[in-house]
Amino acid sequence: MVNKRHIAVIGAGAFGGWTALHLLRLGARVTLVDAWGAGNSRSSSGGESRILRATYGPNQLYTKMAARAMQLWTEHEKRWGLKLLQRVGVLWMAGSEDDEFERGSLPVLKEYGIVYEELSCGEMARRWPQINFEGVRWGIFEPNGGFLRARYSCQVVAERFGAEGGEFKEAAVLPAGLESGCKDGVQLSDGSKLQADHYVFACGPWLGKLFPETIGRLIRPTRQEIFFFGTPPGDQFSAAKLPVWGDHQGRFMYGMPASDGRGFKVADDTRGPDIDPSTADRTVSAGGLQRAREYLGFRFPGMKDAPLIESRVCQYEDTPDENFIIDRHPAAQNVWIVGGGSGHGFKHGPALGEMVAGCVLKEKRAESRFLLSRFGD
Ligand SMILES: Cc1cc2nc3c(=O)[nH]c(=O)nc-3n(C[C@H](O)[C@H](O)[C@H](O)COP(=O)(O)OP(=O)(O)OC[C@H]3O[C@@H](n4cnc5c(N)ncnc54)[C@H](O)[C@@H]3O)c2cc1C
């Protein structure tokens, strides 16, 4: 056990919530602060669902982290007696033009012991007749992947953090003085001051505004639209009959079957325009809806002309190389910046939180690809 140092974690999304929980379990006194609460609708973690997969192209680090995260999600489901992950499997459809990502994933999946199947088009069509596999050459199926209940998981983590002895405050940390290293603590929007031994800023798409000099445009919030279409009656397009899928044909489209009585999710991974996560109006665009509909009708013919029953506008918090940021603030050894999930961070929450807690309390070094020095001066 490390002595009872006081740590303030700012931001209760997937990164901050899990970091706070791991810090607490290492023996620290932890205060978790969030402006609008864990998994709120403005946050990047605030959607219904997020994919959990280990297929990452030839990228060993994220497959390894995803493998650890899968273990931790599973352990916590058991520990808490709750369902956080729907293990419906994840299907990657490899295009006939370019399958470098999928091909490069195979040795890495093998190395980290991820269960997967390599499937021919004929086999995929036999298993999932709801899908039109035109333009697809082969696929990878990860049976232990699926989707996480995103907002719900954040709320559960914050609640369990409280039950294990953590303190939660709903307030915003004001930006004044942050770049000079929080020497006199941080000012909260309720007029109080929070003083701690260490500060971890896990503020997702807000990090650039809070740290304009250190982060600024290194984290770019981009506008992403998600569509939920109504399925025909029955379970043909539900989690009982279909996996999560990723489809690399030009644009990268992805989605998941209907579950929890909600619709069939379709999203385009292409980075959208800049967005302000505090003030943005979250109405989807007509163009985005049309593209989603065209895709849906082509790839899932039984869903052609399905009604839109829900939609969301969220934001990625993209770094230039899509790697996370886990590093100390250059002006203060006790201030950490954690973010840059870049559209793929949610699943890693438990593994990343464990990593960050080790850096803060056990002086472990973050992976060099997470350090700010990778961006140069
Ligand atoms: C549409 C979409 C689809 C995605 N799909 C996937 C997927 O399938 N799989 C996957 O793994 N990842 C996915 N991601 C990425 C993933 O959701 C994010 O990388 C991850 O949720 C980021 O978590 P975070 O904790 O860094 O940020 P956030 O969740 O945004 O949390 C930051 C928190 O900080 C708080 N905050 C901000 N400023 C302050 C302040 N001044 N004071 C106090 N609190 C403050 C906010 O209220 C917020 O709760 C997706 C993201 C989007 C938008």
Side-chain angles (χ1 to χ4, degrees), residues 10-17 33-40 42-46 49-53 56 154 171-174 202-206 210 224-226 254 256 265 267 314-317 324 338-348:
I10 299 99
F15 283 9
V33 186
D34 197 291
W36 295 288
N40 68 78
R42 283 179 168 106
S43 72
S44 297
S45 305
S49 48
R50 293 289 183 262
I51 301 173
L52 175 59
R53 43 102 184 180
Y56 255 100
C154 293
V173 165
L174 304 183
C203 300
W206 286 268
L210 291 174
Q224 307 300 141
E225 299 185 336
I226 298 173
Y254 68 92
M256 45 194 84
K265 175 169 164 177
C314 189
Q315 66 279 317
Y316 288 163
E317 56 296 312
F324 305 154
V338 174
S342 304
H344 66 104
F346 193 90
K347 69 182 81 55
H348 298 291

Side-chain angles (χ1 to χ4, degrees), residues 206-217:
W206 286 268
L207 282 168
K209 279 206 163 165
L210 291 174
F211 296 97
E213 292 157 34
T214 306
I215 300 296
R217 295 282 295 166

Side-chain angles (χ1 to χ4, degrees), residues 22-340:
H22 283 291
L23 285 165
L24 195 66
R25 291 186 183 159
L26 285 179
R29 178 184 154 213
V30 186
T31 305
L32 177 60
V33 186
D34 197 291
W36 295 288
N40 68 78
S41 284
R42 283 179 168 106
S43 72
S44 297
S45 305
E48 296 306 318
S49 48
R50 293 289 183 262
I51 301 173
L52 175 59
R53 43 102 184 180
T55 300
Y56 255 100
N59 199 327
Q60 302 203 342
L61 175 61
Y62 291 111
T63 296
K64 184 176 165 195
M65 274 182 80
R68 176 65 184 147
M70 274 183 192
Q71 253 176 13
L72 289 171
W73 283 109
T74 308
E75 270 175 40
H76 282 83
E77 278 195 311
K78 284 203 187 115
R79 180 176 183 150
W80 295 333
L82 295 172
K83 192 139 192 69
L84 306 175
L85 169 64
Q86 288 272 17
R87 286 172 187 74
V88 296
V90 179
L91 175 67
W92 287 88
M93 299 182 234
S96 34
E97 308 266 294
D98 174 9
D99 64 357
E100 216 176 292
F101 176 89
E102 288 78 8
R103 198 54 69 198
S105 300
L106 298 178
V108 191
L109 291 173
K110 200 172 215 167
E111 184 180 344
Y112 291 102
I114 306 292
V115 180
Y116 71 90
E117 294 174 76
E118 208 177 318
L119 300 178
S120 67
C121 242
E123 179 56 20
M124 291 191 285
R126 192 190 64 74
R127 288 194 199 183
W128 300 293
Q130 306 92 318
I131 306 179
N132 161 27
F133 287 100
E134 194 181 324
V136 178
R137 209 168 59 183
W138 64 285
I140 299 174
F141 182 58
E142 276 186 60
N144 296 329
F147 61 90
L148 293 153
R149 298 172 71 191
R151 174 193 310 116
Y152 174 69
S153 301
C154 293
Q155 290 166 346
V156 166
V157 170
E159 185 196 305
R160 297 301 158 134
F161 162 80
E164 292 186 30
E167 182 195 10
F168 183 83
K169 268 180 191 267
E170 188 161 323
V173 165
L174 304 183
L178 300 186
E179 284 286 21
S180 49
C182 311
K183 291 188 183 65
D184 300 317
V186 291
Q187 198 67 49
L188 300 186
S189 52
D190 62 7
S192 65
K193 193 175 236 190
L194 176 61
Q195 202 123 25
D197 299 310
H198 300 265
Y199 301 86
V200 178
F201 285 87
C203 300
W206 286 268
L207 282 168
K209 279 206 163 165
L210 291 174
F211 296 97
E213 292 157 34
T214 306
I215 300 296
R217 295 282 295 166
L218 291 178
I219 292 182
R220 188 180 149 232
T222 64
R223 192 177 190 285
Q224 307 300 141
E225 299 185 336
I226 298 173
F227 303 94
F228 296 86
F229 292 95
T231 56
D235 65 359
Q236 208 194 350
F237 292 97
S238 81
K241 297 275 170 69
L242 273 177
V244 165
W245 75 92
D247 188 358
H248 266 157
Q249 324 287 322
R251 279 173 183 273
F252 176 51
M253 301 294 290
Y254 68 92
M256 45 194 84
S259 82
D260 283 339
R262 309 187 95 104
F264 185 91
K265 175 169 164 177
V266 177
D268 183 342
D269 186 58
T270 311
R271 272 43 178 172
D274 289 4
I275 183 173
D276 182 321
S278 295
T279 60
D281 179 72
R282 295 179 186 251
T283 312
V284 292
S285 65
L289 175 58
Q290 191 188 332
R291 280 192 297 278
R293 267 195 201 294
E294 280 166 10
Y295 171 79
L296 183 68
F298 167 70
R299 190 60 83 207
F300 298 89
M303 290 290 296
K304 190 171 184 294
D305 301 327
L308 180 74
I309 55 172
E310 283 185 55
S311 58
R312 285 186 56 81
V313 175
C314 189
Q315 66 279 317
Y316 288 163
E317 56 296 312
D318 246 19
T319 61
D321 58 7
E322 295 179 14
N323 286 311
F324 305 154
I325 293 175
I326 302 176
D327 203 355
R328 294 175 199 270
H329 187 281
Q333 286 292 298
N334 63 338
V335 177
W336 288 81
I337 298 178
V338 174

